[in-house]
Amino acid sequence: MNEAVDPTFRFMTVDWDGQIRMDPSSPYAMQRLMRSEDRFDLAFACDTDHDRHGIVTRSGGLLAPNHYLAVAIFYLLPTPAEMAQGRGDRQNGREQSDD
């Protein structure tokens, strides 16, 4: 979104307490990206060491971190019933079997 390189992070909006934090799960820190949600179907942000992520969608706004973790886990891991039936792989959201 911002093509300028600024090592002081002055482009960031401040968090709830007026401090600059690189927390992409904070709606305060993500205000600028959230205001642009109508320009993109999906937008991602991360903090400087890439251990926290923020996802903004056109229809849902800023997703809570646990919500998109749950979606990722559902997409990547088989359910216990699928494992019991030997259908342990998922690809492109579809269950795959070895048959």
Side-chain angles (χ1 to χ4, degrees):
M1 294 286 312
N2 188 341
E3 295 182 18
V5 176
D6 181 0
T8 64
F9 298 105
R10 283 181 283 210
F11 60 88
M12 285 294 301
T13 52
V14 296
D15 212 340
W16 61 272
D17 59 357
Q19 299 296 314
I20 291 178
R21 281 197 190 81
M22 303 302 288
D23 183 1
S25 64
S26 166
Y28 298 97
M30 294 289 286
Q31 285 178 14
R32 183 173 292 149
L33 189 58
M34 290 169 59
R35 285 193 302 262
S36 302
E37 68 186 7
D38 59 332
R39 293 179 49 200
F40 308 98
D41 291 330
L42 191 63
F44 298 89
C46 61
D47 66 346
T48 55
D49 63 352
H50 302 279
D51 66 345
R52 290 177 287 181
H53 302 84
I55 299 176
V56 177
T57 66
R58 181 176 293 191
S59 61
L62 180 63
L63 298 178
N66 289 340
H67 291 185
Y68 67 81
L69 271 176
V71 171
I73 289 168
F74 175 79
Y75 179 78
L76 294 172
L77 299 178
T79 66
E82 290 168 342
M83 290 175 66
Q85 295 174 1
R87 297 184 301 175
D89 295 329
R90 287 190 178 184
Q91 183 179 19
N92 297 325
R94 297 185 195 152
E95 299 171 6
Q96 301 292 317
S97 68
D98 294 332
D99 300 331

Coordinates of all heavy atoms in Angstrom, one line a residue:
M1 N 0.8 -1.2 0.0 CA 0.0 0.0 0.0 C 0.9 1.3 0.0 O 0.6 2.2 -0.7 CB -0.9 0.0 1.2 CG -2.0 -1.0 1.3 SD -3.3 -0.8 0.1 CE -3.7 0.9 0.4
N2 N 1.9 1.3 0.8 CA 2.8 2.4 0.9 C 4.1 2.1 0.3 O 4.8 1.2 0.8 CB 2.9 2.9 2.3 CG 3.6 4.2 2.5 OD1 4.3 4.6 1.6 ND2 3.5 4.8 3.6
E3 N 4.5 2.7 -0.8 CA 5.7 2.3 -1.5 C 6.9 3.0 -0.9 O 8.0 2.7 -1.3 CB 5.5 2.6 -3.0 CG 4.5 1.8 -3.6 CD 4.3 2.0 -5.1 OE1 5.2 2.6 -5.7 OE2 3.3 1.6 -5.7
A4 N 6.7 4.0 -0.1 CA 7.9 4.7 0.5 C 8.5 3.9 1.6 O 7.8 3.3 2.4 CB 7.4 6.1 1.1
V5 N 9.8 3.8 1.7 CA 10.5 3.1 2.7 C 10.8 4.2 3.8 O 11.4 5.2 3.6 CB 11.9 2.5 2.2 CG1 12.6 1.9 3.4 CG2 11.6 1.5 1.1
D6 N 10.3 3.9 5.0 CA 10.4 4.8 6.2 C 10.8 4.0 7.4 O 10.0 3.3 8.0 CB 9.1 5.5 6.4 CG 9.2 6.5 7.6 OD1 10.3 6.6 8.2 OD2 8.2 7.2 7.9
P7 N 12.1 3.9 7.7 CA 12.6 3.1 8.9 C 12.0 3.6 10.2 O 12.2 2.9 11.2 CB 14.1 3.2 8.8 CG 14.4 4.5 8.0 CD 13.2 4.7 7.1
T8 N 11.4 4.8 10.3 CA 10.8 5.3 11.5 C 9.4 4.9 11.7 O 8.8 5.1 12.7 CB 10.9 6.8 11.6 OG1 10.1 7.4 10.6 CG2 12.3 7.3 11.5
F9 N 8.8 4.3 10.7 CA 7.4 3.8 10.7 C 6.4 4.9 10.9 O 5.3 4.7 11.5 CB 7.2 2.6 11.7 CG 8.1 1.4 11.4 CD1 9.2 1.2 12.1 CD2 7.7 0.6 10.4 CE1 10.0 0.1 11.9 CE2 8.5 -0.5 10.1 CZ 9.7 -0.8 10.8
R10 N 6.7 6.1 10.5 CA 5.8 7.2 10.6 C 4.5 7.0 9.8 O 3.5 7.7 10.0 CB 6.4 8.5 10.3 CG 7.3 9.0 11.4 CD 7.9 10.3 11.0 NE 9.0 10.0 10.0 CZ 10.0 10.7 9.8 NH1 10.2 11.9 10.5 NH2 11.0 10.4 9.0
F11 N 4.5 6.1 8.8 CA 3.3 5.9 8.0 C 2.3 5.1 8.8 O 1.1 5.0 8.4 CB 3.7 5.1 6.7 CG 4.4 3.8 7.0 CD1 3.6 2.6 7.2 CD2 5.7 3.6 7.1 CE1 4.2 1.4 7.4 CE2 6.3 2.4 7.3 CZ 5.5 1.3 7.5
M12 N 2.7 4.5 9.9 CA 1.7 3.7 10.7 C 0.8 4.5 11.4 O 1.2 5.6 12.0 CB 2.5 2.8 11.7 CG 3.2 1.6 11.1 SD 2.1 0.4 10.4 CE 1.1 -0.1 11.8
T13 N -0.5 4.1 11.5 CA -1.4 4.7 12.4 C -1.1 4.2 13.8 O -0.7 3.1 14.0 CB -2.9 4.4 12.0 OG1 -3.0 3.0 11.9 CG2 -3.2 5.1 10.7
V14 N -1.4 5.0 14.8 CA -1.1 4.6 16.2 C -2.1 3.6 16.8 O -3.2 3.6 16.3 CB -0.9 5.9 17.1 CG1 0.2 6.7 16.7 CG2 -2.2 6.6 17.2
D15 N -1.7 2.9 17.7 CA -2.5 1.9 18.4 C -3.4 2.6 19.4 O -3.4 3.8 19.6 CB -1.7 0.8 19.0 CG -2.4 -0.5 19.0 OD1 -3.6 -0.6 18.9 OD2 -1.7 -1.6 19.2
W16 N -4.2 1.8 20.1 CA -5.2 2.4 21.0 C -4.7 3.3 22.1 O -5.3 4.2 22.6 CB -6.0 1.2 21.7 CG -5.1 0.3 22.5 CD1 -4.4 -0.8 22.1 CD2 -4.8 0.5 23.9 NE1 -3.7 -1.3 23.1 CE2 -3.9 -0.6 24.2 CE3 -5.2 1.4 24.9 CZ2 -3.4 -0.7 25.5 CZ3 -4.6 1.2 26.1 CH2 -3.8 0.2 26.4
D17 N -3.4 3.1 22.4 CA -2.8 3.9 23.5 C -1.9 5.0 23.0 O -1.1 5.6 23.7 CB -2.0 3.0 24.5 CG -0.9 2.2 23.8 OD1 -0.8 2.3 22.5 OD2 -0.2 1.5 24.5
G18 N -1.9 5.3 21.6 CA -1.1 6.3 21.0 C 0.3 5.9 20.7 O 1.0 6.7 20.1
Q19 N 0.6 4.6 20.9 CA 2.0 4.1 20.5 C 1.9 3.5 19.1 O 0.9 3.0 18.7 CB 2.4 3.1 21.6 CG 2.5 3.6 23.0 CD 3.6 4.7 23.1 OE1 4.7 4.6 22.6 NE2 3.2 5.8 23.7
I20 N 3.1 3.6 18.5 CA 3.2 2.9 17.2 C 3.6 1.5 17.5 O 4.6 1.2 18.1 CB 4.3 3.6 16.3 CG1 3.8 4.9 15.9 CG2 4.6 2.7 15.1 CD1 4.8 5.7 15.0
R21 N 2.7 0.6 17.0 CA 3.0 -0.9 17.2 C 2.8 -1.5 15.8 O 1.9 -1.1 15.1 CB 2.0 -1.5 18.1 CG 2.4 -1.3 19.5 CD 1.6 -2.3 20.4 NE 1.9 -1.8 21.8 CZ 1.2 -0.9 22.4 NH1 0.2 -0.3 21.7 NH2 1.4 -0.5 23.6
M22 N 3.6 -2.4 15.5 CA 3.5 -3.2 14.3 C 2.6 -4.4 14.5 O 3.0 -5.5 14.3 CB 4.8 -3.5 13.7 CG 5.7 -2.4 13.5 SD 5.1 -1.1 12.4 CE 5.2 -2.0 10.8
D23 N 1.4 -4.2 15.0 CA 0.5 -5.3 15.3 C -0.6 -5.3 14.2 O -1.6 -4.6 14.4 CB -0.1 -5.1 16.7 CG -1.0 -6.3 17.1 OD1 -1.1 -7.3 16.2 OD2 -1.5 -6.3 18.2
P24 N -0.5 -6.2 13.2 CA -1.5 -6.2 12.2 C -2.9 -6.8 12.6 O -3.8 -6.8 11.8 CB -0.9 -7.0 11.0 CG 0.2 -7.8 11.7 CD 0.6 -7.0 12.9
S25 N -2.9 -7.3 13.8 CA -4.2 -7.8 14.3 C -5.0 -6.7 15.0 O -6.2 -6.9 15.4 CB -4.0 -9.0 15.2 OG -3.3 -8.6 16.4
S26 N -4.4 -5.5 15.2 CA -5.1 -4.4 15.8 C -5.8 -3.6 14.8 O -5.2 -3.1 13.9 CB -4.0 -3.6 16.5 OG -4.6 -2.3 16.9
P27 N -7.1 -3.4 15.1 CA -7.9 -2.5 14.2 C -7.4 -1.1 14.2 O -7.5 -0.4 13.2 CB -9.3 -2.6 14.7 CG -9.3 -3.2 16.0 CD -7.9 -3.9 16.1
Y28 N -6.7 -0.6 15.2 CA -6.2 0.7 15.3 C -5.0 0.8 14.3 O -4.8 1.8 13.6 CB -5.7 1.1 16.7 CG -6.9 1.1 17.7 CD1 -7.2 0.0 18.5 CD2 -7.7 2.2 17.8 CE1 -8.2 0.0 19.4 CE2 -8.8 2.2 18.7 CZ -9.0 1.1 19.5 OH -10.1 1.1 20.4
A29 N -4.1 -0.1 14.4 CA -2.9 -0.1 13.6 C -3.2 -0.4 12.1 O -2.5 0.0 11.2 CB -1.9 -1.2 14.1
M30 N -4.3 -1.1 11.9 CA -4.7 -1.4 10.5 C -5.7 -0.5 9.8 O -6.2 -0.8 8.8 CB -5.2 -2.8 10.5 CG -4.3 -3.9 10.9 SD -3.0 -4.2 9.6 CE -4.0 -5.1 8.4
Q31 N -5.9 0.7 10.4 CA -6.9 1.6 9.9 C -6.7 2.0 8.5 O -7.6 2.0 7.7 CB -6.9 2.9 10.8 CG -7.6 2.7 12.1 CD -7.5 4.0 12.9 OE1 -7.2 5.1 12.4 NE2 -7.8 3.9 14.2
R32 N -5.5 2.3 8.1 CA -5.2 2.7 6.7 C -5.6 1.6 5.7 O -6.2 1.8 4.7 CB -3.7 3.1 6.5 CG -3.5 3.6 5.1 CD -2.1 4.2 5.0 NE -2.0 5.4 5.8 CZ -0.9 5.8 6.4 NH1 0.2 5.2 6.4 NH2 -0.9 7.0 7.1
L33 N -5.2 0.4 6.0 CA -5.5 -0.8 5.1 C -7.0 -1.0 5.1 O -7.6 -1.3 4.1 CB -4.7 -2.0 5.5 CG -4.8 -3.2 4.6 CD1 -4.3 -2.8 3.2 CD2 -4.0 -4.3 5.1
M34 N -7.6 -0.9 6.3 CA -9.1 -1.1 6.4 C -9.8 -0.1 5.6 O -10.9 -0.4 5.0 CB -9.5 -1.2 7.8 CG -9.0 -2.4 8.5 SD -9.2 -2.4 10.3 CE -11.0 -2.2 10.5
R35 N -9.4 1.1 5.5 CA -10.0 2.1 4.7 C -9.9 1.8 3.2 O -10.7 2.4 2.4 CB -9.4 3.5 5.0 CG -9.9 4.1 6.3 CD -9.5 5.6 6.4 NE -8.1 5.8 6.3 CZ -7.2 6.0 7.3 NH1 -7.6 5.9 8.5 NH2 -6.0 6.3 7.0
S36 N -9.0 1.0 2.8 CA -8.8 0.6 1.4 C -9.5 -0.7 1.1 O -9.2 -1.2 0.0 CB -7.3 0.6 1.1 OG -6.7 1.8 1.4
E37 N -10.3 -1.2 2.0 CA -10.8 -2.6 1.8 C -11.6 -2.7 0.5 O -11.8 -3.7 -0.1 CB -11.6 -3.0 3.0 CG -12.9 -2.3 3.2 CD -13.6 -2.7 4.5 OE1 -13.0 -3.5 5.3 OE2 -14.7 -2.3 4.7
D38 N -12.2 -1.6 0.0 CA -13.0 -1.6 -1.2 C -12.2 -1.7 -2.5 O -12.7 -2.0 -3.6 CB -14.0 -0.5 -1.3 CG -13.3 0.9 -1.3 OD1 -12.2 1.0 -0.7 OD2 -13.8 1.8 -1.9
R39 N -10.8 -1.5 -2.3 CA -9.9 -1.6 -3.5 C -9.5 -3.0 -3.8 O -9.0 -3.3 -4.9 CB -8.7 -0.7 -3.3 CG -9.1 0.8 -3.2 CD -7.9 1.7 -3.0 NE -6.8 1.4 -3.8 CZ -5.5 1.7 -3.6 NH1 -5.2 2.3 -2.4 NH2 -4.5 1.4 -4.4
F40 N -9.6 -3.9 -2.8 CA -9.0 -5.2 -2.9 C -10.1 -6.3 -2.4 O -10.8 -6.0 -1.5 CB -7.7 -5.4 -2.1 CG -6.7 -4.3 -2.4 CD1 -6.6 -3.2 -1.6 CD2 -5.9 -4.5 -3.5 CE1 -5.6 -2.3 -1.9 CE2 -5.0 -3.5 -3.8 CZ -4.8 -2.4 -3.0
D41 N -10.0 -7.4 -2.9 CA -10.9 -8.5 -2.4 C -10.2 -9.0 -1.1 O -10.9 -9.4 -0.1 CB -11.0 -9.7 -3.4 CG -11.9 -9.3 -4.6 OD1 -12.8 -8.5 -4.4 OD2 -11.6 -9.8 -5.6
L42 N -8.9 -9.0 -1.1 CA -8.2 -9.6 0.1 C -6.9 -8.9 0.2 O -6.2 -8.6 -0.8 CB -7.9 -11.1 -0.2 CG -7.4 -12.0 0.9 CD1 -8.4 -12.1 2.0 CD2 -7.1 -13.4 0.3
A43 N -6.5 -8.4 1.4 CA -5.2 -7.8 1.6 C -4.6 -8.3 2.9 O -5.3 -8.7 3.8 CB -5.5 -6.3 1.8
F44 N -3.3 -8.5 2.8 CA -2.5 -9.1 3.9 C -1.5 -8.0 4.5 O -1.0 -7.2 3.7 CB -1.7 -10.3 3.4 CG -2.5 -11.4 2.9 CD1 -2.9 -11.5 1.6 CD2 -2.9 -12.4 3.8 CE1 -3.6 -12.5 1.1 CE2 -3.7 -13.4 3.3 CZ -4.0 -13.5 2.0
A45 N -1.2 -8.1 5.7 CA -0.2 -7.3 6.4 C 0.5 -8.2 7.4 O 0.0 -9.2 7.9 CB -0.7 -6.1 7.0
C46 N 1.8 -7.9 7.7 CA 2.5 -8.6 8.7 C 3.4 -7.6 9.5 O 3.6 -6.5 9.1 CB 3.3 -9.8 8.2 SG 4.6 -9.2 7.0
D47 N 3.8 -8.0 10.7 CA 4.7 -7.2 11.5 C 6.1 -7.4 10.9 O 6.3 -8.1 10.0 CB 4.6 -7.5 13.0 CG 5.1 -8.8 13.4 OD1 5.2 -9.7 12.5 OD2 5.3 -9.1 14.6
T48 N 7.0 -6.7 11.5 CA 8.4 -6.6 10.9 C 9.1 -7.9 11.0 O 10.0 -8.2 10.2 CB 9.2 -5.5 11.6 OG1 9.2 -5.7 13.0 CG2 8.6 -4.1 11.2
D49 N 8.8 -8.8 12.0 CA 9.5 -10.1 12.1 C 8.6 -11.2 11.6 O 8.9 -12.4 11.7 CB 10.1 -10.4 13.4 CG 9.0 -10.4 14.5 OD1 7.9 -10.1 14.3 OD2 9.4 -10.8 15.7
H50 N 7.5 -10.9 11.0 CA 6.5 -11.8 10.3 C 6.0 -12.9 11.2 O 5.6 -14.0 10.8 CB 7.2 -12.5 9.1 CG 7.7 -11.5 8.1 ND1 6.9 -10.9 7.2 CD2 8.9 -10.9 8.0 CE1 7.6 -10.0 6.5 NE2 8.8 -10.0 6.9
D51 N 5.8 -12.6 12.5 CA 5.2 -13.6 13.4 C 3.7 -13.2 13.7 O 3.0 -14.0 14.4 CB 6.0 -13.8 14.7 CG 6.0 -12.6 15.6 OD1 5.6 -11.5 15.1 OD2 6.4 -12.7 16.8
R52 N 3.2 -12.1 13.2 CA 1.8 -11.7 13.4 C 1.3 -11.3 12.0 O 2.0 -10.6 11.3 CB 1.7 -10.6 14.4 CG 1.9 -11.1 15.8 CD 1.8 -10.0 16.8 NE 3.0 -9.1 16.6 CZ 3.2 -8.0 17.3 NH1 2.4 -7.6 18.2 NH2 4.3 -7.3 17.1
H53 N 0.1 -11.6 11.7 CA -0.5 -11.3 10.4 C -1.8 -10.7 10.6 O -2.5 -10.9 11.5 CB -0.6 -12.6 9.6 CG 0.7 -13.3 9.4 ND1 1.2 -14.1 10.3 CD2 1.6 -13.2 8.4 CE1 2.4 -14.6 9.9 NE2 2.7 -14.0 8.7
G54 N -2.2 -9.9 9.6 CA -3.5 -9.3 9.5 C -4.1 -9.5 8.1 O -3.4 -9.4 7.1
I55 N -5.4 -9.9 8.1 CA -6.0 -10.1 6.8 C -7.3 -9.2 6.8 O -8.1 -9.3 7.7 CB -6.4 -11.6 6.6 CG1 -5.2 -12.5 6.6 CG2 -7.2 -11.8 5.3 CD1 -5.4 -13.9 6.5
V56 N -7.4 -8.5 5.7 CA -8.6 -7.6 5.5 C -9.3 -8.1 4.3 O -8.7 -8.2 3.2 CB -8.2 -6.1 5.4 CG1 -9.4 -5.2 5.1 CG2 -7.4 -5.6 6.6
T57 N -10.6 -8.3 4.4 CA -11.4 -8.7 3.3 C -12.4 -7.6 3.0 O -12.8 -6.9 3.8 CB -12.1 -10.0 3.5 OG1 -13.1 -9.9 4.6 CG2 -11.2 -11.2 3.9
R58 N -12.8 -7.6 1.7 CA -13.8 -6.6 1.3 C -15.1 -6.8 2.1 O -15.7 -5.9 2.5 CB -14.1 -6.8 -0.2 CG -15.1 -5.8 -0.7 CD -15.2 -5.9 -2.2 NE -13.9 -5.4 -2.7 CZ -13.7 -5.2 -4.0 NH1 -14.7 -5.4 -4.9 NH2 -12.5 -4.8 -4.5
S59 N -15.6 -8.0 2.3 CA -16.9 -8.3 2.9 C -16.8 -8.4 4.4 O -17.8 -8.1 5.1 CB -17.5 -9.6 2.4 OG -16.6 -10.7 2.6
G60 N -15.6 -8.7 5.0 CA -15.6 -9.0 6.4 C -14.7 -8.0 7.2 O -14.6 -8.1 8.4
G61 N -14.0 -7.1 6.5 CA -13.1 -6.2 7.2 C -11.9 -7.0 7.8 O -11.4 -7.9 7.2
L62 N -11.4 -6.5 8.9 CA -10.2 -7.2 9.5 C -10.6 -8.5 10.2 O -11.5 -8.4 11.1 CB -9.6 -6.2 10.5 CG -8.3 -6.7 11.3 CD1 -7.2 -7.0 10.3 CD2 -7.9 -5.7 12.3
L63 N -10.0 -9.6 9.8 CA -10.4 -10.9 10.4 C -9.6 -11.0 11.7 O -8.4 -10.6 11.8 CB -10.0 -12.0 9.5 CG -10.7 -12.1 8.2 CD1 -10.2 -13.3 7.4 CD2 -12.2 -12.3 8.4
A64 N -10.2 -11.5 12.7 CA -9.6 -11.8 14.0 C -8.5 -12.9 13.7 O -8.8 -13.9 13.0 CB -10.6 -12.3 15.0
P65 N -7.3 -12.8 14.4 CA -6.3 -13.8 14.1 C -6.7 -15.3 14.3 O -6.4 -16.1 13.5 CB -5.2 -13.5 15.1 CG -5.4 -12.0 15.4 CD -6.9 -11.8 15.3
N66 N -7.5 -15.5 15.4 CA -7.9 -16.9 15.6 C -8.9 -17.4 14.5 O -9.0 -18.6 14.3 CB -8.6 -17.0 17.0 CG -7.5 -16.9 18.1 OD1 -6.3 -17.1 17.8 ND2 -7.9 -16.6 19.3
H67 N -9.7 -16.5 13.9 CA -10.6 -16.9 12.9 C -9.8 -17.4 11.6 O -10.2 -18.4 11.1 CB -11.5 -15.7 12.5 CG -12.5 -15.3 13.6 ND1 -13.4 -14.4 13.4 CD2 -12.6 -15.8 14.8 CE1 -14.1 -14.3 14.5 NE2 -13.6 -15.1 15.4
Y68 N -8.8 -16.7 11.2 CA -8.2 -17.2 10.0 C -7.2 -18.3 10.3 O -7.0 -19.2 9.5 CB -7.5 -16.1 9.2 CG -6.3 -15.4 9.8 CD1 -5.0 -15.9 9.8 CD2 -6.4 -14.1 10.3 CE1 -3.9 -15.2 10.3 CE2 -5.4 -13.4 10.9 CZ -4.1 -14.0 10.8 OH -3.1 -13.3 11.3
L69 N -6.8 -18.5 11.6 CA -6.1 -19.7 12.0 C -7.0 -20.9 11.9 O -6.6 -22.0 11.4 CB -5.5 -19.5 13.4 CG -4.1 -18.9 13.5 CD1 -3.7 -18.8 14.9 CD2 -3.1 -19.8 12.8
A70 N -8.2 -20.7 12.3 CA -9.2 -21.8 12.3 C -9.5 -22.2 10.9 O -9.5 -23.4 10.5 CB -10.4 -21.4 13.0
V71 N -9.6 -21.3 10.0 CA -9.8 -21.6 8.6 C -8.6 -22.3 8.0 O -8.8 -23.3 7.2 CB -10.1 -20.3 7.8 CG1 -10.2 -20.5 6.3 CG2 -11.5 -19.7 8.2
A72 N -7.4 -21.8 8.3 CA -6.2 -22.5 7.7 C -6.1 -23.9 8.2 O -5.8 -24.8 7.5 CB -5.0 -21.7 8.1
I73 N -6.4 -24.1 9.5 CA -6.3 -25.5 10.1 C -7.4 -26.4 9.4 O -7.1 -27.5 9.0 CB -6.5 -25.5 11.6 CG1 -5.2 -24.8 12.2 CG2 -6.7 -26.8 12.2 CD1 -5.3 -24.5 13.7
F74 N -8.6 -25.9 9.3 CA -9.6 -26.6 8.6 C -9.2 -27.0 7.2 O -9.5 -28.1 6.7 CB -11.0 -25.9 8.6 CG -12.0 -26.6 7.8 CD1 -12.7 -27.6 8.4 CD2 -12.4 -26.2 6.5 CE1 -13.7 -28.3 7.7 CE2 -13.3 -26.8 5.8 CZ -14.0 -27.9 6.4
Y75 N -8.6 -26.1 6.5 CA -8.3 -26.3 5.1 C -7.1 -27.3 5.0 O -7.1 -28.2 4.1 CB -7.9 -25.0 4.4 CG -7.4 -25.1 3.0 CD1 -8.4 -25.3 2.0 CD2 -6.1 -25.1 2.7 CE1 -8.0 -25.4 0.7 CE2 -5.7 -25.3 1.4 CZ -6.6 -25.4 0.4 OH -6.2 -25.6 -0.9
L76 N -6.2 -27.2 5.9 CA -4.9 -28.0 5.8 C -5.0 -29.4 6.4 O -4.4 -30.4 5.9 CB -3.8 -27.3 6.4 CG -3.4 -26.0 5.7 CD1 -2.3 -25.3 6.5 CD2 -2.8 -26.3 4.3
L77 N -5.8 -29.6 7.5 CA -5.8 -30.8 8.2 C -7.1 -31.6 8.0 O -8.2 -31.0 8.0 CB -5.6 -30.6 9.7 CG -4.3 -29.9 10.1 CD1 -4.3 -29.6 11.6 CD2 -3.1 -30.7 9.7
P78 N -7.0 -32.9 7.9 CA -8.2 -33.7 7.8 C -8.9 -33.8 9.2 O -8.3 -33.6 10.2 CB -7.6 -35.1 7.4 CG -6.2 -35.1 8.0 CD -5.7 -33.7 7.9
T79 N -10.2 -34.1 9.1 CA -11.0 -34.3 10.3 C -10.7 -35.7 10.8 O -10.2 -36.6 10.1 CB -12.5 -34.2 10.0 OG1 -12.9 -35.2 9.1 CG2 -12.8 -32.8 9.4
P80 N -11.0 -36.0 12.1 CA -10.8 -37.3 12.6 C -11.6 -38.4 11.7 O -11.1 -39.5 11.5 CB -11.4 -37.3 14.0 CG -11.2 -35.8 14.4 CD -11.4 -35.1 13.1
A81 N -12.8 -38.1 11.3 CA -13.6 -39.0 10.4 C -12.8 -39.3 9.1 O -12.8 -40.4 8.7 CB -15.0 -38.5 10.2
E82 N -12.2 -38.3 8.5 CA -11.5 -38.4 7.3 C -10.3 -39.3 7.5 O -9.9 -40.2 6.7 CB -11.1 -37.1 6.7 CG -12.3 -36.3 6.1 CD -11.9 -34.9 5.8 OE1 -10.9 -34.4 6.3 OE2 -12.7 -34.3 5.1
M83 N -9.6 -39.1 8.6 CA -8.4 -39.9 8.9 C -8.8 -41.3 9.2 O -8.1 -42.2 8.7 CB -7.7 -39.3 10.2 CG -7.1 -38.0 9.9 SD -6.3 -37.2 11.4 CE -5.0 -38.4 11.7
A84 N -9.9 -41.6 9.8 CA -10.4 -43.0 10.1 C -10.7 -43.7 8.8 O -10.5 -44.9 8.7 CB -11.6 -43.0 11.0
Q85 N -11.1 -42.9 7.8 CA -11.5 -43.5 6.5 C -10.3 -43.5 5.5 O -10.4 -43.9 4.4 CB -12.6 -42.7 5.8 CG -13.9 -42.8 6.6 CD -15.0 -41.9 6.0 OE1 -14.8 -41.3 5.0 NE2 -16.2 -41.9 6.6
G86 N -9.1 -43.1 6.0 CA -8.0 -43.1 5.2 C -7.9 -41.9 4.2 O -7.1 -42.0 3.3
R87 N -8.7 -40.9 4.4 CA -8.7 -39.8 3.5 C -8.0 -38.6 4.2 O -8.6 -37.7 4.7 CB -10.1 -39.3 3.2 CG -10.9 -40.4 2.4 CD -12.2 -39.9 2.0 NE -13.0 -39.6 3.1 CZ -14.2 -39.0 3.1 NH1 -14.8 -38.8 2.0 NH2 -14.9 -38.7 4.2
G88 N -6.7 -38.7 4.2 CA -5.9 -37.8 5.0 C -5.4 -36.6 4.3 O -4.8 -35.7 4.9
D89 N -5.5 -36.5 3.0 CA -5.0 -35.4 2.2 C -6.1 -34.5 1.7 O -7.1 -35.0 1.3 CB -4.2 -35.9 1.0 CG -3.0 -36.7 1.4 OD1 -2.4 -36.4 2.5 OD2 -2.6 -37.6 0.7
R90 N -5.8 -33.2 1.8 CA -6.8 -32.2 1.2 C -6.0 -31.4 0.2 O -4.8 -31.0 0.5 CB -7.3 -31.3 2.3 CG -8.4 -32.0 3.1 CD -9.1 -30.9 4.0 NE -10.1 -31.6 4.8 CZ -10.9 -31.0 5.6 NH1 -10.8 -29.7 5.7 NH2 -11.8 -31.6 6.2
Q91 N -6.6 -31.2 -0.9 CA -5.9 -30.3 -1.9 C -6.9 -29.4 -2.5 O -8.0 -29.9 -3.0 CB -5.2 -31.2 -3.0 CG -4.5 -30.4 -4.0 CD -3.8 -31.3 -5.0 OE1 -4.2 -32.5 -5.1 NE2 -2.9 -30.9 -5.7
N92 N -6.7 -28.1 -2.6 CA -7.6 -27.2 -3.1 C -9.0 -27.2 -2.5 O -10.0 -27.1 -3.2 CB -7.7 -27.3 -4.6 CG -6.4 -27.1 -5.3 OD1 -5.6 -26.2 -4.9 ND2 -6.1 -27.8 -6.4
G93 N -9.0 -27.5 -1.2 CA -10.3 -27.6 -0.5 C -11.1 -28.8 -0.7 O -12.2 -28.9 -0.2
R94 N -10.6 -29.8 -1.5 CA -11.3 -31.0 -1.8 C -10.6 -32.2 -1.1 O -9.4 -32.3 -1.1 CB -11.4 -31.3 -3.3 CG -12.1 -30.2 -4.0 CD -12.2 -30.6 -5.4 NE -12.7 -29.4 -6.2 CZ -12.4 -29.2 -7.4 NH1 -11.7 -30.1 -8.1 NH2 -12.8 -28.1 -8.0
E95 N -11.4 -33.1 -0.6 CA -10.8 -34.3 0.0 C -10.2 -35.2 -1.1 O -10.8 -35.3 -2.2 CB -11.8 -35.0 0.8 CG -12.4 -34.2 1.9 CD -13.6 -34.9 2.6 OE1 -13.9 -36.0 2.2 OE2 -14.2 -34.3 3.4
Q96 N -9.1 -35.8 -0.9 CA -8.4 -36.6 -1.8 C -8.3 -38.0 -1.2 O -7.9 -38.1 0.0 CB -7.1 -36.1 -2.3 CG -7.1 -34.7 -2.9 CD -7.8 -34.8 -4.3 OE1 -7.6 -35.7 -5.0 NE2 -8.7 -33.8 -4.5
S97 N -8.5 -39.1 -1.9 CA -8.3 -40.4 -1.4 C -7.2 -41.1 -2.2 O -6.9 -40.6 -3.3 CB -9.6 -41.2 -1.4 OG -10.0 -41.5 -2.7
D98 N -6.7 -42.1 -1.7 CA -5.6 -42.9 -2.4 C -6.2 -43.9 -3.3 O -5.5 -44.6 -3.9 CB -4.7 -43.6 -1.4 CG -3.9 -42.6 -0.5 OD1 -3.6 -41.5 -1.0 OD2 -3.6 -42.9 0.6
D99 N -7.5 -43.9 -3.4 CA -8.2 -44.9 -4.3 C -7.9 -44.7 -5.7 O -7.9 -43.7 -6.3 CB -9.7 -44.9 -4.1 CG -10.1 -45.2 -2.6 OD1 -9.3 -45.9 -2.0 OD2 -11.1 -44.7 -2.2

